[in-house]
Amino acid sequence: MLDSALEVLRLQTSGEASAVEIAEQAMAAIEASQPTHNAYTHVDRQAAMATAKSVDARRAAGETLGPLAGVPVAVKDVLCTNDMPTTCSSEMLRGFRPPYDATVVEKLRAADAVIVGKTNMDEFAMGASTETSAFGITRNPWDLERTPGGSSGGAVAAVAAGTVPLSLGTDTGGSIRQPSAFCGVTGLKPTYGRVSRYGLVAFASSLDQVGPIAWSAADCALLMNVIAGYEPRDSTSLNKDVPDYTVATQSTDLRGIRIGVLRESMQAEGIDPAVQQAVAHAIGVFAELGAEIIDVDLPHREYWVPTYYVIAPSEASSNLSRFDGAHYGHRADGASDLLSMYCRSRAEGFGAEVKRRIMVGTYALSEGYADEYYNKALKVRRLIRGDYDAAFSQVDLLLGPVTPTPAFRLGDKIDDPIQMYLCDLFTVGANLAGVPALSLPGGFDPSGLPIGIQLQAPTLEESRLFFAGSAFQSLTDYHTKRPNQ
Ligand code: GLN
């Protein structure tokens, strides 16, 4: 029952289950999963039960309820909540309680969703394994020795472990799509500006987006309907109408749709044969659904990772300067003067990966080096965006892998930042170009680990992703498989 939001809604309207019963079930599932998976940094049973109770009472009184009434939802701990801590899984913000809700959280509440808690993540969303969290690692429900991916590892594991049907993640360079691929669920990174970033603790402001995670594309569409839209408190928010994304999930006829296959990326160095096979298989499924398959190339793909790893740390070094022990965050005890208070607060509050990014970013922006690094990266970003424009003048969607390999073992890459950064080989392009991208369950490797496939669409064409994604899920059953625990 907790693996489909649409089903949770149906059970309530048919009178088969109350919101309180559903919330009780979510709480029981969280209590059972948490000691093993550690998907949550904070669980608020009281708040969840109170919301569920009021949904039931309002339903009984004949009131019109919101589109997610009584649906349990988990929220990544990088989004501000006025009734729960918001830590970004960092010592720097341990115990921090924001005085306001992020816009997406406000929207969840207005939709009558039942927010159950906050989910674990890589510290400040920097990472691809959820191992940099100050609140312990999160384990992949499919194989407890493996990472769920990151940085939204907790948000994805919360869905994959069956504790909630929906969660909110964020994606700066792949943090929704990569863990979705590792845990066999569906996740969308929307168009840059489609979902408000107000109340999202900033990592790299020109790349960050909030997006939905669920087992199916249809459930993601439901959540996307609630969170998308213009919002003046985010100056990069797009003032464009929001379509009903669920409409797009009702048709499965892909005739007339041209899908560009990133064939070159399927042969990239280090790519697991099972991933190649999953993409090849997906090509067959889309062809069967009527799509026209065309080979395309994004010629500057080899520069995606280096460009991202200049721009993202540069923006991070600027965004994270506010955490100085005075304006925000942990303050070191016993410093003798202001400068040493700043230095010691930051030294104590930030973990190793965050410090690495701040140092790299500060260097890339510094006088004498900015032209060589940051400004050059901005120019390459224009070329990358140009590749996408050229590709989308020929095709409606792009198809390729999400990650080079299935979920890797905990501990395997944490001491090797370059190996960790190479996890983002296929995901950062969409962030650099600002286009929407969807990760779909596309198969399993011989040992039973899930594999994701990725669809990318032109700016603001999320409906097309939901259309093709649910058509794919009408012919395949990968999104219906569950880890056996
Ligand atoms: N793995 C990437 C990084 O470490 C992406 C993170 C993200 O999307 N938040 O920066």
Side-chain angles (χ1 to χ4, degrees), residues 85-97 134-135 329-330:
T86 297
T87 67
C88 298
S89 287
S90 178
E91 283 302 338
M92 186 54 99
L93 286 176
R94 186 183 283 274
F96 172 62
R97 284 184 179 257
F135 296 87
H330 168 78

Side-chain angles (χ1 to χ4, degrees), residues 76 125-128 150-151 170-175 203 308-309 357 424:
K76 184 175 178 180
M126 299 173 191
S151 64
T170 60
D171 190 312
T172 303
S175 278
F203 162 15
Y308 173 83
Y309 277 98
R357 305 266 179 134
D424 309 329

Side-chain angles (χ1 to χ4, degrees), residues 338-468:
L338 187 63
L339 188 63
S340 69
M341 190 278 282
Y342 287 157
C343 294
R344 284 178 44 193
S345 297
R346 287 167 70 81
E348 290 171 12
F350 290 135
E353 182 58 28
V354 174
K355 286 177 185 159
R356 181 167 18 247
R357 305 266 179 134
I358 291 172
M359 286 190 281
V360 167
T362 305
Y363 183 80
L365 289 172
S366 60
E367 200 182 339
Y369 293 99
D371 278 345
E372 216 173 310
Y373 294 106
Y374 182 67
N375 293 333
K376 188 183 269 180
L378 292 182
K379 290 178 189 161
V380 180
R381 186 176 188 177
R382 291 285 292 263
L383 297 175
I384 293 167
R385 171 82 219 193
D387 288 349
Y388 273 91
D389 290 343
F392 285 131
S393 69
Q394 296 172 53
V395 295
D396 303 302
L397 292 167
L398 293 170
L399 170 65
V402 185
T403 57
T405 67
F408 50 91
R409 283 182 195 283
L410 289 160
D412 259 12
K413 297 186 197 280
I414 194 67
D415 297 323
D416 190 342
I418 301 290
Q419 285 307 313
M420 194 69 91
Y421 300 168
L422 287 173
C423 294
D424 309 329
L425 201 58
F426 303 126
T427 47
V428 291
N431 304 80
L432 290 166
V435 302
L438 182 70
S439 175
L440 292 166
F444 293 89
D445 83 347
S447 68
L449 292 171
I451 293 175
I453 56 155
Q454 180 171 215
L455 287 173
Q456 302 181 72
T459 302
L460 290 172
E461 294 294 347
E462 282 83 359
S463 284
R464 203 180 288 167
L465 292 174
F466 287 129
F467 168 38

Side-chain angles (χ1 to χ4, degrees), residues 75 79 101-109 168 195-196 198 210 226-227:
V75 175
L79 291 160
D101 278 335
T103 300
V104 288
V105 172
E106 258 176 16
K107 288 185 172 201
L108 284 180
R109 296 196 205 278
L168 279 184
V195 178
S196 171
Y198 181 76
V210 184
V226 169
I227 61 172

Side-chain angles (χ1 to χ4, degrees), residues 31-235:
E31 272 157 38
S33 135
Q34 186 62 8
T36 314
H37 304 115
N38 193 35
Y40 291 84
T41 51
H42 182 84
V43 179
D44 196 334
R45 167 181 263 278
Q46 244 183 345
M49 295 316 300
T51 312
K53 230 173 153 173
S54 99
V55 166
D56 284 339
R58 287 169 50 215
R59 190 185 303 279
E63 272 183 48
T64 312
L65 295 166
L68 292 179
V71 179
V73 183
V75 175
K76 184 175 178 180
D77 206 12
V78 69
L79 291 160
C80 288
T81 40
N82 67 15
D83 58 347
M84 297 180 211
T86 297
T87 67
C88 298
S89 287
S90 178
E91 283 302 338
M92 186 54 99
L93 286 176
R94 186 183 283 274
F96 172 62
R97 284 184 179 257
Y100 65 97
D101 278 335
T103 300
V104 288
V105 172
E106 258 176 16
K107 288 185 172 201
L108 284 180
R109 296 196 205 278
D112 294 318
V114 173
I115 300 178
V116 298
K118 309 295 289 288
T119 58
N120 202 14
M121 52 186 278
D122 279 299
E123 185 180 2
F124 283 103
M126 299 173 191
S129 67
T130 316
E131 289 170 293
T132 68
S133 168
F135 296 87
I137 57 168
T138 295
R139 292 180 187 272
N140 188 322
W142 292 86
D143 179 344
L144 300 178
E145 296 312 309
R146 290 179 192 261
T147 164
S151 64
S152 312
V156 169
V159 172
T163 67
V164 279
L166 300 177
S167 68
L168 279 184
T170 60
D171 190 312
T172 303
S175 278
I176 289 174
R177 291 161 289 154
Q178 183 253 20
S180 295
F182 279 10
C183 294
V185 306
T186 303
L188 174 81
K189 181 205 90 75
T191 304
Y192 182 72
R194 175 80 290 188
V195 178
S196 171
R197 290 183 297 110
Y198 181 76
L200 159 64
V201 180
F203 162 15
S205 307
S206 78
L207 301 158
D208 298 339
Q209 261 297 282
V210 184
I213 297 158
W215 286 106
S216 67
D219 264 13
C220 282
L222 189 70
L223 180 50
M224 190 60 187
N225 271 0
V226 169
I227 61 172
Y230 175 63
E231 214 259 345
R233 290 177 299 183
D234 170 359
S235 61

